Amino acid sequence: MSAAKIKKGDTVVVLAGKDKGRSGAVLQVFPKEDKVLVDGINVHARHRKPDQLNPQGGIDRKPAPLHISNVAVAGKDGKATRVRFEVRDGKKVRVAVKSGEVI
């Protein structure tokens, strides 16, 4: 398995789907499914009936996973950029293709 180009905590831009153009922080990465969970993106609502723990009931909103191909790491300017790996000072680092800066 190759190294992940998108990691937890990265700011990403959505490239496709209903939230195209929006950005958010990666909450979780699912490498086996090639999916990521992004804060405030692809939010789904679940209607809950009242029960003892939640007597009011209501609507639970939480983000659903997106396919990793539909997001790209955001550069310093907030626009999407691809990521490549380079060896700098003996360490393998992620580098933004557009700017050449270390992520």
PDB file of all heavy atoms in Angstrom, residues 12 14 16-19 25-45 61-71:
ATOM      1  N   VAL A  12      -8.999  20.341   2.847  1.00  0.00           N
ATOM      2  CA  VAL A  12      -9.221  19.857   1.496  1.00  0.00           C
ATOM      3  C   VAL A  12     -10.344  20.638   0.819  1.00  0.00           C
ATOM      4  O   VAL A  12     -11.189  21.232   1.477  1.00  0.00           O
ATOM      5  CB  VAL A  12      -9.556  18.345   1.469  1.00  0.00           C
ATOM      6  CG1 VAL A  12      -8.382  17.521   1.922  1.00  0.00           C
ATOM      7  CG2 VAL A  12     -10.779  18.040   2.281  1.00  0.00           C
ATOM      8  N   VAL A  14     -13.452  20.219  -2.082  1.00  0.00           N
ATOM      9  CA  VAL A  14     -14.262  19.217  -2.766  1.00  0.00           C
ATOM     10  C   VAL A  14     -14.280  19.529  -4.262  1.00  0.00           C
ATOM     11  O   VAL A  14     -14.548  20.656  -4.667  1.00  0.00           O
ATOM     12  CB  VAL A  14     -15.696  19.184  -2.197  1.00  0.00           C
ATOM     13  CG1 VAL A  14     -16.536  18.141  -2.914  1.00  0.00           C
ATOM     14  CG2 VAL A  14     -15.671  18.912  -0.704  1.00  0.00           C
ATOM     15  N   ALA A  16     -15.979  17.476  -6.672  1.00  0.00           N
ATOM     16  CA  ALA A  16     -17.174  17.003  -7.373  1.00  0.00           C
ATOM     17  C   ALA A  16     -18.288  16.734  -6.377  1.00  0.00           C
ATOM     18  O   ALA A  16     -18.048  16.505  -5.197  1.00  0.00           O
ATOM     19  CB  ALA A  16     -16.856  15.728  -8.141  1.00  0.00           C
ATOM     20  N   GLY A  17     -19.522  16.808  -6.868  1.00  0.00           N
ATOM     21  CA  GLY A  17     -20.681  16.507  -6.037  1.00  0.00           C
ATOM     22  C   GLY A  17     -21.410  17.753  -5.589  1.00  0.00           C
ATOM     23  O   GLY A  17     -21.125  18.868  -6.036  1.00  0.00           O
ATOM     24  N   LYS A  18     -22.366  17.572  -4.683  1.00  0.00           N
ATOM     25  CA  LYS A  18     -23.226  18.685  -4.263  1.00  0.00           C
ATOM     26  C   LYS A  18     -22.471  19.759  -3.489  1.00  0.00           C
ATOM     27  O   LYS A  18     -22.923  20.896  -3.433  1.00  0.00           O
ATOM     28  CB  LYS A  18     -24.390  18.159  -3.423  1.00  0.00           C
ATOM     29  CG  LYS A  18     -23.982  17.559  -2.093  1.00  0.00           C
ATOM     30  CD  LYS A  18     -25.170  17.106  -1.288  1.00  0.00           C
ATOM     31  CE  LYS A  18     -24.701  16.621   0.075  1.00  0.00           C
ATOM     32  NZ  LYS A  18     -25.807  16.276   0.933  1.00  0.00           N
ATOM     33  N   ASP A  19     -21.350  19.419  -2.898  1.00  0.00           N
ATOM     34  CA  ASP A  19     -20.566  20.379  -2.127  1.00  0.00           C
ATOM     35  C   ASP A  19     -19.333  20.868  -2.884  1.00  0.00           C
ATOM     36  O   ASP A  19     -18.369  21.343  -2.277  1.00  0.00           O
ATOM     37  CB  ASP A  19     -20.129  19.760  -0.794  1.00  0.00           C
ATOM     38  CG  ASP A  19     -21.303  19.517   0.137  1.00  0.00           C
ATOM     39  OD1 ASP A  19     -22.183  20.404   0.205  1.00  0.00           O
ATOM     40  OD2 ASP A  19     -21.357  18.463   0.794  1.00  0.00           O
ATOM     41  N   ALA A  25     -11.828  20.572   7.000  1.00  0.00           N
ATOM     42  CA  ALA A  25     -10.733  19.779   7.547  1.00  0.00           C
ATOM     43  C   ALA A  25     -11.098  18.299   7.528  1.00  0.00           C
ATOM     44  O   ALA A  25     -12.242  17.927   7.780  1.00  0.00           O
ATOM     45  CB  ALA A  25     -10.433  20.209   8.971  1.00  0.00           C
ATOM     46  N   VAL A  26     -10.111  17.464   7.247  1.00  0.00           N
ATOM     47  CA  VAL A  26     -10.327  16.017   7.234  1.00  0.00           C
ATOM     48  C   VAL A  26     -10.402  15.526   8.682  1.00  0.00           C
ATOM     49  O   VAL A  26      -9.489  15.749   9.478  1.00  0.00           O
ATOM     50  CB  VAL A  26      -9.191  15.290   6.475  1.00  0.00           C
ATOM     51  CG1 VAL A  26      -9.341  13.786   6.588  1.00  0.00           C
ATOM     52  CG2 VAL A  26      -9.159  15.732   5.038  1.00  0.00           C
ATOM     53  N   LEU A  27     -11.522  14.873   9.017  1.00  0.00           N
ATOM     54  CA  LEU A  27     -11.713  14.332  10.360  1.00  0.00           C
ATOM     55  C   LEU A  27     -11.166  12.916  10.483  1.00  0.00           C
ATOM     56  O   LEU A  27     -10.646  12.535  11.523  1.00  0.00           O
ATOM     57  CB  LEU A  27     -13.211  14.315  10.721  1.00  0.00           C
ATOM     58  CG  LEU A  27     -13.918  15.658  10.731  1.00  0.00           C
ATOM     59  CD1 LEU A  27     -15.409  15.461  10.951  1.00  0.00           C
ATOM     60  CD2 LEU A  27     -13.337  16.545  11.821  1.00  0.00           C
ATOM     61  N   GLN A  28     -11.308  12.145   9.401  1.00  0.00           N
ATOM     62  CA  GLN A  28     -10.906  10.745   9.438  1.00  0.00           C
ATOM     63  C   GLN A  28     -10.637  10.268   8.021  1.00  0.00           C
ATOM     64  O   GLN A  28     -11.275  10.739   7.075  1.00  0.00           O
ATOM     65  CB  GLN A  28     -12.030   9.909  10.065  1.00  0.00           C
ATOM     66  CG  GLN A  28     -11.639   8.549  10.520  1.00  0.00           C
ATOM     67  CD  GLN A  28     -12.767   7.869  11.303  1.00  0.00           C
ATOM     68  OE1 GLN A  28     -13.816   8.455  11.530  1.00  0.00           O
ATOM     69  NE2 GLN A  28     -12.552   6.643  11.686  1.00  0.00           N
ATOM     70  N   VAL A  29      -9.698   9.334   7.883  1.00  0.00           N
ATOM     71  CA  VAL A  29      -9.379   8.747   6.580  1.00  0.00           C
ATOM     72  C   VAL A  29      -9.612   7.243   6.679  1.00  0.00           C
ATOM     73  O   VAL A  29      -9.216   6.607   7.655  1.00  0.00           O
ATOM     74  CB  VAL A  29      -7.910   9.027   6.182  1.00  0.00           C
ATOM     75  CG1 VAL A  29      -7.589   8.391   4.842  1.00  0.00           C
ATOM     76  CG2 VAL A  29      -7.650  10.512   6.134  1.00  0.00           C
ATOM     77  N   PHE A  30     -10.294   6.693   5.670  1.00  0.00           N
ATOM     78  CA  PHE A  30     -10.543   5.253   5.603  1.00  0.00           C
ATOM     79  C   PHE A  30      -9.757   4.704   4.411  1.00  0.00           C
ATOM     80  O   PHE A  30     -10.277   4.642   3.289  1.00  0.00           O
ATOM     81  CB  PHE A  30     -12.039   4.972   5.418  1.00  0.00           C
ATOM     82  CG  PHE A  30     -12.912   5.602   6.468  1.00  0.00           C
ATOM     83  CD1 PHE A  30     -13.601   6.778   6.195  1.00  0.00           C
ATOM     84  CD2 PHE A  30     -13.034   5.040   7.726  1.00  0.00           C
ATOM     85  CE1 PHE A  30     -14.409   7.370   7.147  1.00  0.00           C
ATOM     86  CE2 PHE A  30     -13.840   5.624   8.687  1.00  0.00           C
ATOM     87  CZ  PHE A  30     -14.530   6.787   8.407  1.00  0.00           C
ATOM     88  N   PRO A  31      -8.487   4.320   4.598  1.00  0.00           N
ATOM     89  CA  PRO A  31      -7.645   3.931   3.467  1.00  0.00           C
ATOM     90  C   PRO A  31      -8.118   2.668   2.740  1.00  0.00           C
ATOM     91  O   PRO A  31      -7.969   2.570   1.527  1.00  0.00           O
ATOM     92  CB  PRO A  31      -6.265   3.719   4.076  1.00  0.00           C
ATOM     93  CG  PRO A  31      -6.462   3.645   5.539  1.00  0.00           C
ATOM     94  CD  PRO A  31      -7.763   4.297   5.864  1.00  0.00           C
ATOM     95  N   LYS A  32      -8.719   1.728   3.438  1.00  0.00           N
ATOM     96  CA  LYS A  32      -9.165   0.498   2.780  1.00  0.00           C
ATOM     97  C   LYS A  32     -10.333   0.750   1.845  1.00  0.00           C
ATOM     98  O   LYS A  32     -10.480   0.091   0.824  1.00  0.00           O
ATOM     99  CB  LYS A  32      -9.546  -0.563   3.810  1.00  0.00           C
ATOM    100  CG  LYS A  32      -8.347  -1.129   4.541  1.00  0.00           C
ATOM    101  CD  LYS A  32      -8.728  -2.219   5.503  1.00  0.00           C
ATOM    102  CE  LYS A  32      -7.505  -2.736   6.226  1.00  0.00           C
ATOM    103  NZ  LYS A  32      -7.854  -3.711   7.251  1.00  0.00           N
ATOM    104  N   GLU A  33     -11.187   1.711   2.194  1.00  0.00           N
ATOM    105  CA  GLU A  33     -12.339   2.047   1.349  1.00  0.00           C
ATOM    106  C   GLU A  33     -12.051   3.225   0.416  1.00  0.00           C
ATOM    107  O   GLU A  33     -12.920   3.623  -0.352  1.00  0.00           O
ATOM    108  CB  GLU A  33     -13.564   2.388   2.205  1.00  0.00           C
ATOM    109  CG  GLU A  33     -14.113   1.228   3.004  1.00  0.00           C
ATOM    110  CD  GLU A  33     -13.516   1.159   4.397  1.00  0.00           C
ATOM    111  OE1 GLU A  33     -13.224   2.223   4.977  1.00  0.00           O
ATOM    112  OE2 GLU A  33     -13.322   0.044   4.900  1.00  0.00           O
ATOM    113  N   ASP A  34     -10.870   3.838   0.517  1.00  0.00           N
ATOM    114  CA  ASP A  34     -10.516   5.041  -0.259  1.00  0.00           C
ATOM    115  C   ASP A  34     -11.513   6.164  -0.022  1.00  0.00           C
ATOM    116  O   ASP A  34     -11.973   6.816  -0.949  1.00  0.00           O
ATOM    117  CB  ASP A  34     -10.418   4.735  -1.759  1.00  0.00           C
ATOM    118  CG  ASP A  34      -9.195   3.910  -2.106  1.00  0.00           C
ATOM    119  OD1 ASP A  34      -8.204   4.013  -1.355  1.00  0.00           O
ATOM    120  OD2 ASP A  34      -9.229   3.176  -3.098  1.00  0.00           O
ATOM    121  N   LYS A  35     -11.864   6.403   1.239  1.00  0.00           N
ATOM    122  CA  LYS A  35     -12.822   7.450   1.578  1.00  0.00           C
ATOM    123  C   LYS A  35     -12.263   8.349   2.673  1.00  0.00           C
ATOM    124  O   LYS A  35     -11.368   7.955   3.424  1.00  0.00           O
ATOM    125  CB  LYS A  35     -14.146   6.843   2.035  1.00  0.00           C
ATOM    126  CG  LYS A  35     -14.864   6.101   0.917  1.00  0.00           C
ATOM    127  CD  LYS A  35     -16.236   5.665   1.304  1.00  0.00           C
ATOM    128  CE  LYS A  35     -16.892   4.892   0.202  1.00  0.00           C
ATOM    129  NZ  LYS A  35     -17.691   5.706  -0.683  1.00  0.00           N
ATOM    130  N   VAL A  36     -12.791   9.586   2.725  1.00  0.00           N
ATOM    131  CA  VAL A  36     -12.415  10.529   3.772  1.00  0.00           C
ATOM    132  C   VAL A  36     -13.679  11.155   4.363  1.00  0.00           C
ATOM    133  O   VAL A  36     -14.698  11.268   3.688  1.00  0.00           O
ATOM    134  CB  VAL A  36     -11.496  11.656   3.238  1.00  0.00           C
ATOM    135  CG1 VAL A  36     -10.140  11.127   2.880  1.00  0.00           C
ATOM    136  CG2 VAL A  36     -12.116  12.376   2.074  1.00  0.00           C
ATOM    137  N   LEU A  37     -13.581  11.561   5.619  1.00  0.00           N
ATOM    138  CA  LEU A  37     -14.664  12.238   6.316  1.00  0.00           C
ATOM    139  C   LEU A  37     -14.224  13.678   6.510  1.00  0.00           C
ATOM    140  O   LEU A  37     -13.185  13.930   7.125  1.00  0.00           O
ATOM    141  CB  LEU A  37     -14.891  11.557   7.668  1.00  0.00           C
ATOM    142  CG  LEU A  37     -16.208  11.758   8.360  1.00  0.00           C
ATOM    143  CD1 LEU A  37     -17.331  11.176   7.512  1.00  0.00           C
ATOM    144  CD2 LEU A  37     -16.197  11.075   9.705  1.00  0.00           C
ATOM    145  N   VAL A  38     -14.990  14.622   5.941  1.00  0.00           N
ATOM    146  CA  VAL A  38     -14.609  16.034   5.976  1.00  0.00           C
ATOM    147  C   VAL A  38     -15.629  16.803   6.809  1.00  0.00           C
ATOM    148  O   VAL A  38     -16.837  16.634   6.632  1.00  0.00           O
ATOM    149  CB  VAL A  38     -14.536  16.620   4.549  1.00  0.00           C
ATOM    150  CG1 VAL A  38     -14.063  18.061   4.586  1.00  0.00           C
ATOM    151  CG2 VAL A  38     -13.608  15.787   3.683  1.00  0.00           C
ATOM    152  N   ASP A  39     -15.141  17.651   7.701  1.00  0.00           N
ATOM    153  CA  ASP A  39     -15.993  18.415   8.612  1.00  0.00           C
ATOM    154  C   ASP A  39     -16.904  19.370   7.849  1.00  0.00           C
ATOM    155  O   ASP A  39     -16.436  20.208   7.082  1.00  0.00           O
ATOM    156  CB  ASP A  39     -15.106  19.205   9.583  1.00  0.00           C
ATOM    157  CG  ASP A  39     -15.905  19.888  10.672  1.00  0.00           C
ATOM    158  OD1 ASP A  39     -16.958  19.357  11.046  1.00  0.00           O
ATOM    159  OD2 ASP A  39     -15.463  20.950  11.140  1.00  0.00           O
ATOM    160  N   GLY A  40     -18.209  19.229   8.035  1.00  0.00           N
ATOM    161  CA  GLY A  40     -19.187  20.123   7.437  1.00  0.00           C
ATOM    162  C   GLY A  40     -19.493  19.871   5.970  1.00  0.00           C
ATOM    163  O   GLY A  40     -20.239  20.616   5.352  1.00  0.00           O
ATOM    164  N   ILE A  41     -18.948  18.810   5.400  1.00  0.00           N
ATOM    165  CA  ILE A  41     -19.153  18.491   3.989  1.00  0.00           C
ATOM    166  C   ILE A  41     -19.908  17.167   3.884  1.00  0.00           C
ATOM    167  O   ILE A  41     -19.672  16.244   4.647  1.00  0.00           O
ATOM    168  CB  ILE A  41     -17.802  18.373   3.246  1.00  0.00           C
ATOM    169  CG1 ILE A  41     -16.978  19.636   3.425  1.00  0.00           C
ATOM    170  CG2 ILE A  41     -18.006  18.050   1.778  1.00  0.00           C
ATOM    171  CD1 ILE A  41     -17.543  20.875   2.782  1.00  0.00           C
ATOM    172  N   ASN A  42     -20.815  17.073   2.898  1.00  0.00           N
ATOM    173  CA  ASN A  42     -21.621  15.871   2.666  1.00  0.00           C
ATOM    174  C   ASN A  42     -22.399  15.482   3.922  1.00  0.00           C
ATOM    175  O   ASN A  42     -22.412  14.327   4.334  1.00  0.00           O
ATOM    176  CB  ASN A  42     -20.728  14.711   2.190  1.00  0.00           C
ATOM    177  CG  ASN A  42     -21.507  13.598   1.534  1.00  0.00           C
ATOM    178  OD1 ASN A  42     -22.583  13.815   1.008  1.00  0.00           O
ATOM    179  ND2 ASN A  42     -20.951  12.401   1.572  1.00  0.00           N
ATOM    180  N   VAL A  43     -23.063  16.460   4.520  1.00  0.00           N
ATOM    181  CA  VAL A  43     -23.798  16.245   5.772  1.00  0.00           C
ATOM    182  C   VAL A  43     -25.140  15.579   5.470  1.00  0.00           C
ATOM    183  O   VAL A  43     -25.901  16.050   4.622  1.00  0.00           O
ATOM    184  CB  VAL A  43     -24.024  17.579   6.511  1.00  0.00           C
ATOM    185  CG1 VAL A  43     -24.841  17.368   7.757  1.00  0.00           C
ATOM    186  CG2 VAL A  43     -22.686  18.211   6.849  1.00  0.00           C
ATOM    187  N   HIS A  44     -25.399  14.483   6.161  1.00  0.00           N
ATOM    188  CA  HIS A  44     -26.652  13.759   6.012  1.00  0.00           C
ATOM    189  C   HIS A  44     -27.461  13.883   7.291  1.00  0.00           C
ATOM    190  O   HIS A  44     -26.904  13.957   8.382  1.00  0.00           O
ATOM    191  CB  HIS A  44     -26.377  12.290   5.707  1.00  0.00           C
ATOM    192  CG  HIS A  44     -25.887  12.073   4.315  1.00  0.00           C
ATOM    193  ND1 HIS A  44     -25.904  10.866   3.702  1.00  0.00           N
ATOM    194  CD2 HIS A  44     -25.376  12.924   3.390  1.00  0.00           C
ATOM    195  CE1 HIS A  44     -25.424  10.961   2.482  1.00  0.00           C
ATOM    196  NE2 HIS A  44     -25.081  12.212   2.278  1.00  0.00           N
ATOM    197  N   ALA A  45     -28.784  13.891   7.130  1.00  0.00           N
ATOM    198  CA  ALA A  45     -29.681  14.022   8.283  1.00  0.00           C
ATOM    199  C   ALA A  45     -30.334  12.678   8.573  1.00  0.00           C
ATOM    200  O   ALA A  45     -30.738  11.962   7.657  1.00  0.00           O
ATOM    201  CB  ALA A  45     -30.743  15.065   8.000  1.00  0.00           C
ATOM    202  N   ARG A  61     -27.579  15.411  12.469  1.00  0.00           N
ATOM    203  CA  ARG A  61     -26.834  15.716  11.240  1.00  0.00           C
ATOM    204  C   ARG A  61     -25.376  15.346  11.460  1.00  0.00           C
ATOM    205  O   ARG A  61     -24.775  15.764  12.444  1.00  0.00           O
ATOM    206  CB  ARG A  61     -26.947  17.199  10.903  1.00  0.00           C
ATOM    207  CG  ARG A  61     -28.363  17.642  10.641  1.00  0.00           C
ATOM    208  CD  ARG A  61     -28.415  19.117  10.284  1.00  0.00           C
ATOM    209  NE  ARG A  61     -29.744  19.678  10.370  1.00  0.00           N
ATOM    210  CZ  ARG A  61     -30.714  19.469   9.495  1.00  0.00           C
ATOM    211  NH1 ARG A  61     -30.517  18.686   8.470  1.00  0.00           N
ATOM    212  NH2 ARG A  61     -31.895  20.036   9.646  1.00  0.00           N
ATOM    213  N   LYS A  62     -24.829  14.572  10.519  1.00  0.00           N
ATOM    214  CA  LYS A  62     -23.415  14.220  10.612  1.00  0.00           C
ATOM    215  C   LYS A  62     -22.845  14.034   9.216  1.00  0.00           C
ATOM    216  O   LYS A  62     -23.571  13.680   8.286  1.00  0.00           O
ATOM    217  CB  LYS A  62     -23.199  12.976  11.469  1.00  0.00           C
ATOM    218  CG  LYS A  62     -23.753  11.705  10.928  1.00  0.00           C
ATOM    219  CD  LYS A  62     -23.396  10.560  11.840  1.00  0.00           C
ATOM    220  CE  LYS A  62     -23.745   9.235  11.180  1.00  0.00           C
ATOM    221  NZ  LYS A  62     -23.289   8.095  11.943  1.00  0.00           N
ATOM    222  N   PRO A  63     -21.544  14.290   9.058  1.00  0.00           N
ATOM    223  CA  PRO A  63     -20.930  14.144   7.737  1.00  0.00           C
ATOM    224  C   PRO A  63     -20.807  12.677   7.340  1.00  0.00           C
ATOM    225  O   PRO A  63     -20.546  11.815   8.175  1.00  0.00           O
ATOM    226  CB  PRO A  63     -19.562  14.796   7.892  1.00  0.00           C
ATOM    227  CG  PRO A  63     -19.288  14.798   9.347  1.00  0.00           C
ATOM    228  CD  PRO A  63     -20.614  14.814  10.049  1.00  0.00           C
ATOM    229  N   ALA A  64     -21.015  12.413   6.066  1.00  0.00           N
ATOM    230  CA  ALA A  64     -20.843  11.070   5.513  1.00  0.00           C
ATOM    231  C   ALA A  64     -19.531  11.044   4.722  1.00  0.00           C
ATOM    232  O   ALA A  64     -19.074  12.088   4.260  1.00  0.00           O
ATOM    233  CB  ALA A  64     -22.018  10.727   4.608  1.00  0.00           C
ATOM    234  N   PRO A  65     -18.930   9.875   4.570  1.00  0.00           N
ATOM    235  CA  PRO A  65     -17.656   9.791   3.849  1.00  0.00           C
ATOM    236  C   PRO A  65     -17.782  10.160   2.374  1.00  0.00           C
ATOM    237  O   PRO A  65     -18.807   9.918   1.737  1.00  0.00           O
ATOM    238  CB  PRO A  65     -17.252   8.326   3.997  1.00  0.00           C
ATOM    239  CG  PRO A  65     -18.045   7.800   5.126  1.00  0.00           C
ATOM    240  CD  PRO A  65     -19.308   8.591   5.156  1.00  0.00           C
ATOM    241  N   LEU A  66     -16.720  10.759   1.848  1.00  0.00           N
ATOM    242  CA  LEU A  66     -16.583  11.081   0.429  1.00  0.00           C
ATOM    243  C   LEU A  66     -15.481  10.210  -0.152  1.00  0.00           C
ATOM    244  O   LEU A  66     -14.538   9.856   0.554  1.00  0.00           O
ATOM    245  CB  LEU A  66     -16.136  12.534   0.252  1.00  0.00           C
ATOM    246  CG  LEU A  66     -17.113  13.649   0.498  1.00  0.00           C
ATOM    247  CD1 LEU A  66     -16.366  14.964   0.585  1.00  0.00           C
ATOM    248  CD2 LEU A  66     -18.106  13.702  -0.616  1.00  0.00           C
ATOM    249  N   HIS A  67     -15.571   9.922  -1.441  1.00  0.00           N
ATOM    250  CA  HIS A  67     -14.476   9.187  -2.071  1.00  0.00           C
ATOM    251  C   HIS A  67     -13.260  10.103  -2.151  1.00  0.00           C
ATOM    252  O   HIS A  67     -13.384  11.308  -2.413  1.00  0.00           O
ATOM    253  CB  HIS A  67     -14.866   8.696  -3.468  1.00  0.00           C
ATOM    254  CG  HIS A  67     -13.958   7.633  -3.971  1.00  0.00           C
ATOM    255  ND1 HIS A  67     -12.822   7.928  -4.696  1.00  0.00           N
ATOM    256  CD2 HIS A  67     -13.970   6.296  -3.819  1.00  0.00           C
ATOM    257  CE1 HIS A  67     -12.186   6.797  -4.988  1.00  0.00           C
ATOM    258  NE2 HIS A  67     -12.867   5.799  -4.460  1.00  0.00           N
ATOM    259  N   ILE A  68     -12.103   9.541  -1.911  1.00  0.00           N
ATOM    260  CA  ILE A  68     -10.873  10.335  -1.824  1.00  0.00           C
ATOM    261  C   ILE A  68     -10.528  11.021  -3.146  1.00  0.00           C
ATOM    262  O   ILE A  68      -9.862  12.056  -3.168  1.00  0.00           O
ATOM    263  CB  ILE A  68      -9.712   9.447  -1.319  1.00  0.00           C
ATOM    264  CG1 ILE A  68      -8.639  10.289  -0.661  1.00  0.00           C
ATOM    265  CG2 ILE A  68      -9.155   8.589  -2.421  1.00  0.00           C
ATOM    266  CD1 ILE A  68      -7.713   9.509   0.220  1.00  0.00           C
ATOM    267  N   SER A  69     -11.042  10.483  -4.263  1.00  0.00           N
ATOM    268  CA  SER A  69     -10.767  11.095  -5.560  1.00  0.00           C
ATOM    269  C   SER A  69     -11.562  12.379  -5.763  1.00  0.00           C
ATOM    270  O   SER A  69     -11.262  13.152  -6.676  1.00  0.00           O
ATOM    271  CB  SER A  69     -11.099  10.122  -6.695  1.00  0.00           C
ATOM    272  OG  SER A  69     -12.493   9.878  -6.742  1.00  0.00           O
ATOM    273  N   ASN A  70     -12.573  12.622  -4.935  1.00  0.00           N
ATOM    274  CA  ASN A  70     -13.406  13.817  -5.073  1.00  0.00           C
ATOM    275  C   ASN A  70     -12.921  14.981  -4.226  1.00  0.00           C
ATOM    276  O   ASN A  70     -13.591  16.012  -4.154  1.00  0.00           O
ATOM    277  CB  ASN A  70     -14.858  13.503  -4.729  1.00  0.00           C
ATOM    278  CG  ASN A  70     -15.499  12.601  -5.748  1.00  0.00           C
ATOM    279  OD1 ASN A  70     -15.121  12.616  -6.915  1.00  0.00           O
ATOM    280  ND2 ASN A  70     -16.448  11.812  -5.320  1.00  0.00           N
ATOM    281  N   VAL A  71     -11.787  14.827  -3.565  1.00  0.00           N
ATOM    282  CA  VAL A  71     -11.210  15.916  -2.776  1.00  0.00           C
ATOM    283  C   VAL A  71      -9.748  16.103  -3.138  1.00  0.00           C
ATOM    284  O   VAL A  71      -9.092  15.171  -3.622  1.00  0.00           O
ATOM    285  CB  VAL A  71     -11.334  15.672  -1.246  1.00  0.00           C
ATOM    286  CG1 VAL A  71     -12.783  15.621  -0.816  1.00  0.00           C
ATOM    287  CG2 VAL A  71     -10.611  14.427  -0.813  1.00  0.00           C
TER     288      VAL A  71
END
